[in-house]
Amino acid sequence: MLDHTGIGVADVARSARFYDAALGALGLRRAMQLPEDTGADGIGYGREYPIFWIDRFHPHSVKQHTAFAATSRAQVDAFHVAAVAAGGTDNGAPGLRPTGAGYPQGYYAAFVLDPDGNNIEAVFRQPSGT
């Protein structure tokens, strides 16, 4: 089980504008900043505590993939709209993903590239039998 993870970014302030919007649509907020007053070195997103960090210390532009759990299809849609409006690049519009491509039944997701080219996903897994 993971407690937290993160990625390196080229410009924390630029990436923060993207992640404030994209993760805000999923109910996440800035839970911690380093330094505390500016967040110029790193920002941790979460609800009660940081679960996802962006920072200037780790390598950036390594094209990582991170998927965030959404609570509904509408939240996936809102993530996609907010992320693209905040400077992200569409990498897969919201929708059900095909089981023939290896996705499980009811996998509803959207993909957006962040300012460093990382593939950020929001996914809602439709419960079986609904």
Side-chain angles (χ1 to χ4, degrees):
M1 182 62 77
L2 297 175
D3 180 76
H4 65 276
T5 189
I7 60 173
V9 297
D11 181 330
V12 174
R14 177 186 70 177
S15 291
R17 288 188 292 278
F18 169 82
Y19 283 103
D20 287 350
L23 299 183
L26 299 175
L28 301 175
R29 63 172 181 79
R30 290 187 189 197
M32 187 177 284
Q33 296 188 134
L34 302 173
E36 219 174 279
D37 57 338
T38 68
D41 292 336
I43 298 171
Y45 292 88
R47 290 186 178 93
E48 297 174 33
Y49 56 87
I51 61 164
F52 180 75
W53 284 89
I54 59 171
D55 66 51
R56 66 179 187 87
F57 303 112
H58 293 91
H60 59 83
S61 299
V62 293
K63 311 297 188 246
Q64 296 184 55
H65 174 85
T66 304
F68 292 91
T71 59
S72 66
R73 288 182 178 192
Q75 202 175 50
V76 171
D77 297 346
F79 158 85
H80 188 264
V81 168
V84 170
T89 303
D90 173 48
N91 197 34
L96 283 170
R97 297 303 184 231
T99 56
Y103 291 96
Q105 187 74 28
Y107 195 97
Y108 189 89
F111 303 85
V112 178
L113 299 178
D114 78 357
D116 288 287
N118 297 296
N119 188 28
I120 307 302
E121 174 185 357
V123 59
F124 174 69
R125 295 173 185 260
Q126 185 73 39
S128 297
T130 59

